[in-house]
């Protein structure tokens, strides 16, 4: 029985709680409906006032013409003339800006039309001038045909006087045909207009249409100015307009492109052997150095006559072959030259023996068997005397020491330099009139 009473009271308690919750929900719903109705009444009230334009003088209901807002059902009137004035000014500014934008568009359109008309006029004038010049050139070409000393060929097409990057002997390859067209050297089917030569675009597979630019990979640029007596100076097309002056006159840098900052020579610093853009014409300086060298060699040749005379007197024809052309190096076999370097004393007796002595006086042979290499004439330079079969102590694989003596033109016999170019191989530089 107790259990039944307990369950009965629990059921009644739950019913009571549900009833309370239902009552609270109903009350909340009624309050929301009332709030919405108040908002509707307020909106009707404001609309009536605005439509009627009436103003109330009642202290409890001050209504003043201004910007009004309704917040959460409550009417809030803002007596703020300044704010209203600002709103009107903003509205006026918007109108002014729109008008200004319209006028500006009209001005830009008028300006564009004016510029376009001027451009068309200038283009027409240029076309007229070009047509007149072409007519004048055609008349001159016709008149020049057959005249002695004329630069024209038999068809009346003028031969080019100069094309950037082209050797003078190759200018004839760039003359235009009867249709004023140029064709590639190897593929004559590819025909181009004259203005497509050196236009910085590679049209020919053999690079023949771009001798003066870097557009083609396998082209070469002929320097405008050359050094008399020197081989023709060409520059690979990849070096054209790279900022480095390869031609002595700087003609390969005709665009004036500057190299990166890290290799530029700053103001006040001495110019290096390799110069960069903007290039200057240094051909005159190089030519002067060549002339000095020629004068130096000429003076050495006069001294060389004594060497040749001694070989002629003391050697037979068969023995002369061992000492170079006409036995010119024979007098050196009668001398020994010394050089002090790196705490050692080197002694070179050409065609006899080469030794190295340390501070303790111990001497080591660096070569004793002679062989003259390179050089085929009296005027040639770079003769090298190889002295082999030296001592092999401390040399790898028991290899014997050897010495290479390079003989260069000089006004007296002297050793200038020595280095161990590789282990147990010694390179000497000797100056002598015999090599001039």
């Amino acid at each position: 029985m107790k259990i039944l009473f307990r369950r009965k009271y629990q059921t009644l308690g739950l019913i009571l709680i549900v009833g309370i919750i239902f009552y609270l929900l109903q009350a909340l719903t009624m309050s929301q409906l009332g709030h919405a109705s108040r908002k509707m009444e307020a909106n009707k009230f404001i609309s009536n006032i605005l439509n009627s334009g009436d103003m109330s003088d009642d202290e409890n209901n001050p209504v003043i013409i201004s910007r009004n807002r309704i917040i959460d059902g409550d009417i809030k009137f803002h007596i703020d003339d300044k704010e209203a004035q600002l709103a009107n000014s903003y509205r006026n500014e918007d109108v002014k800006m729109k008008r200004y934008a319209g006028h500006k568009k009209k001005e830009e359109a008028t300006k564009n039309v004016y510029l376009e008309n001027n451009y068309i006029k200038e283009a027409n004038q240029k076309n007229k001038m070009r047509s007149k010049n072409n007519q004048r050139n055609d008349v001159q070409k016709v008149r020049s045909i057959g005249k002695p000393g004329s630069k024209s060929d038999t068809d009346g097409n003028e031969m080019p006087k100069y094309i950037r990057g082209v050797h003078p002997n190759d200018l004839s390859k760039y003359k235009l045909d009867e249709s004023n067209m140029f064709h590639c050297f190897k593929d004559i089917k590819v025909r181009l207009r004259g203005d497509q030569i050196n236009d910085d675009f590679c049209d020919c597979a053999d690079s023949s249409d771009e001798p003066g630019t870097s557009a083609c990979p396998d082209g070469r640029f002929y320097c405008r100015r050359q050094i008399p007596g020197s081989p023709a100076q060409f520059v690979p097309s990849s070096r054209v307009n790279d900022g480095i002056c390869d031609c002595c006159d700087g003609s390969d840098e005709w665009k004036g492109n500057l190299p990166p900052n890290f290799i530029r020579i700053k103001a006040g610093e001495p110019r290096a052997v390799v110069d960069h853009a903007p290039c200057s014409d240094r051909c005159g300086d190089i030519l002067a150095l060549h002339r000095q060298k020629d004068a130096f060699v000429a003076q050495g040749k006069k001294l060389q006559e004594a060497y040749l005379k001694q070989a002629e007197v003391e050697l037979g024809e068969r023995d002369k072959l061992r000492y170079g052309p006409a036995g010119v190096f024979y007098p050196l076999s009668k001398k020994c030259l010394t050089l002090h370097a790196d705490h050692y004393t080197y002694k070179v007796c050409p065609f006899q023996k080469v030794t190295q002595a340390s501070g303790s006086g111990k001497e080591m042979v660096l070569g004793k068997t002679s062989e003259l290499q390179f050089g085929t004439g009296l005027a040639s330079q770079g003769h090298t005397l190889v002295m082999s079969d030296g001592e092999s102590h401390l040399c790898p694989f028991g290899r014997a020491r050897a010495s290479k003596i390079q003989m260069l033109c000089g006004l007296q016999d002297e050793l200038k330099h020595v280095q161990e170019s590789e282990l147990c191989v010694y390179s000497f530089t000797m100056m002598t009139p015999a090599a001039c």
Side-chain angles (χ1 to χ4, degrees):
M1 292 295 291
K2 291 181 178 181
I3 294 172
L4 291 175
F5 280 111
R6 187 180 301 171
R7 289 181 177 177
K8 181 178 179 181
Y9 288 129
Q10 287 178 352
T11 303
L12 291 174
L14 288 174
I15 293 171
L16 181 62
I17 291 171
V18 171
I20 293 171
I21 293 172
F22 179 76
Y23 176 77
L24 292 175
L25 290 173
Q26 188 176 9
L28 180 62
T29 303
M30 293 300 294
S31 66
Q32 292 293 331
L33 291 173
H35 189 66
S37 65
R38 285 197 300 272
K39 282 187 178 182
M40 292 176 65
E41 291 176 358
N43 289 334
K44 289 181 180 179
F45 176 74
I46 292 300
S47 63
N48 291 332
I49 291 175
L50 294 175
N51 293 329
S52 64
D54 296 337
M55 295 184 296
S56 176
D57 294 335
D58 190 358
E59 295 180 356
N60 297 326
N61 296 309
V63 180
I64 299 176
I65 296 176
S66 179
R67 293 192 308 152
N68 304 319
R69 293 182 297 171
I70 300 176
I71 301 176
D72 294 335
D74 297 330
I75 302 173
K76 296 185 178 181
F77 302 99
H78 296 272
I79 306 173
D80 193 351
D81 293 338
K82 292 183 179 180
E83 190 173 358
Q85 292 175 1
L86 286 173
N88 292 330
S89 65
Y90 290 151
R91 197 175 297 110
N92 293 332
E93 289 294 329
D94 291 339
V95 174
K96 290 180 181 179
M97 290 298 294
K98 290 179 180 179
R99 290 178 180 175
Y100 175 74
H103 288 303
K104 191 172 183 181
K105 288 182 179 179
K106 291 181 180 179
E107 291 178 357
E108 290 181 353
T110 305
K111 185 177 180 181
N112 291 334
V113 171
Y114 174 75
L115 293 175
E116 185 175 358
N117 291 335
N118 286 342
Y119 177 79
I120 293 173
K121 289 180 181 179
E122 292 179 358
N124 291 333
Q125 291 177 357
K126 289 181 179 179
N127 290 331
K128 289 180 180 179
M129 292 297 295
R130 286 175 182 172
S131 61
K132 290 181 180 179
N133 291 332
N134 291 334
Q135 292 176 1
R136 191 181 298 110
N137 292 334
D138 291 339
V139 171
Q140 291 178 355
K141 289 179 182 180
V142 173
R143 289 177 179 175
S144 63
I145 296 175
K147 288 186 177 182
S150 173
K151 294 290 185 180
S152 302
D153 58 11
T154 55
D155 295 328
N157 294 329
E158 292 186 357
M159 300 286 290
K161 295 180 180 179
Y162 171 71
I163 297 179
R164 182 180 282 115
V166 176
H167 192 285
N169 296 338
D170 296 330
L171 285 177
S172 60
K173 299 178 181 179
Y174 287 88
K175 67 178 180 179
L176 305 181
D177 58 16
E178 296 176 353
S179 302
N180 289 327
M181 300 293 286
F182 164 81
H183 64 77
C184 302
F185 292 171
K186 294 184 179 180
D187 189 359
I188 61 176
K189 294 181 181 179
V190 180
R191 302 171 74 244
L192 309 172
R193 300 187 310 274
D195 60 354
Q196 290 180 281
I197 299 174
N198 281 339
D199 65 346
D200 209 15
F201 187 85
C202 191
D203 298 286
C204 297
D206 59 1
S207 307
S208 57
D209 65 309
E210 296 297 319
T213 71
S214 59
C216 294
D218 300 324
R220 61 176 190 168
F221 181 93
Y222 177 76
C223 298
R224 180 71 183 271
R225 188 177 177 186
Q226 299 285 322
I227 301 298
S230 299
Q233 187 180 11
F234 286 92
V235 176
S237 60
S238 59
R239 299 183 185 178
V240 176
N241 290 321
D242 64 347
I244 304 299
C245 309
D246 295 288
C247 296
C248 66
D249 62 347
S251 58
D252 59 306
E253 297 302 315
W254 50 271
K255 278 189 177 180
N257 297 336
L258 293 176
N261 290 327
F262 68 92
I263 63 174
R264 294 184 193 175
I265 301 174
K266 298 180 181 178
E269 294 182 349
R271 307 298 279 183
V273 176
V274 178
D275 201 0
H276 64 70
C279 304
S280 59
D281 191 341
R282 300 196 299 174
C283 297
D285 298 336
I286 297 175
L287 183 59
L289 291 175
H290 283 209
R291 289 172 178 170
Q292 292 179 5
K293 182 180 178 181
D294 293 340
F296 180 83
V297 173
Q299 188 176 357
K301 282 186 173 298
K302 290 182 178 180
L303 298 175
Q304 188 187 69
E305 294 177 359
Y307 290 75
L308 293 171
K309 187 176 181 179
Q310 184 176 354
E312 183 68 26
V313 173
E314 299 182 12
L315 293 178
E317 293 298 328
R318 202 176 276 182
D319 295 331
K320 288 180 182 179
L321 298 176
R322 182 188 174 193
Y323 299 103
V328 67
F329 295 112
Y330 169 72
L332 296 177
S333 65
K334 305 292 183 179
K335 298 180 179 181
C336 289
L337 307 175
T338 58
L339 177 67
H340 301 282
D342 298 331
H343 308 290
Y344 291 99
T345 299
Y346 296 90
K347 186 176 182 181
V348 176
C349 303
F351 301 96
Q352 303 298 328
K353 187 171 62 173
V354 179
T355 60
Q356 177 194 59
S358 61
S360 61
K362 184 179 180 180
E363 190 176 82
M364 182 176 293
V365 178
L366 306 182
K368 58 183 179 181
T369 303
S370 63
E371 179 185 1
L372 190 62
Q373 298 179 350
F374 309 111
T376 57
L378 291 176
S380 62
Q381 298 188 21
H383 296 79
T384 302
L385 178 63
V386 179
M387 303 289 293
S388 57
D389 295 333
E391 296 185 25
S392 60
H393 180 61
L394 299 179
C395 289
F397 308 107
R399 184 177 62 181
R401 287 175 170 80
S403 299
K404 297 180 180 180
I405 307 168
Q406 186 179 18
M407 299 180 180
L408 301 177
C409 180
L411 301 182
Q412 60 182 354
D413 299 328
E414 59 178 337
L415 289 176
K416 298 294 293 184
H417 179 71
V418 62
Q419 68 173 1
E420 192 172 359
S421 55
E422 56 182 289
L423 196 59
C424 295
V425 178
Y426 303 84
S427 297
F428 293 87
T429 300
M430 176 185 289
M431 310 298 293
T432 174
C436 294

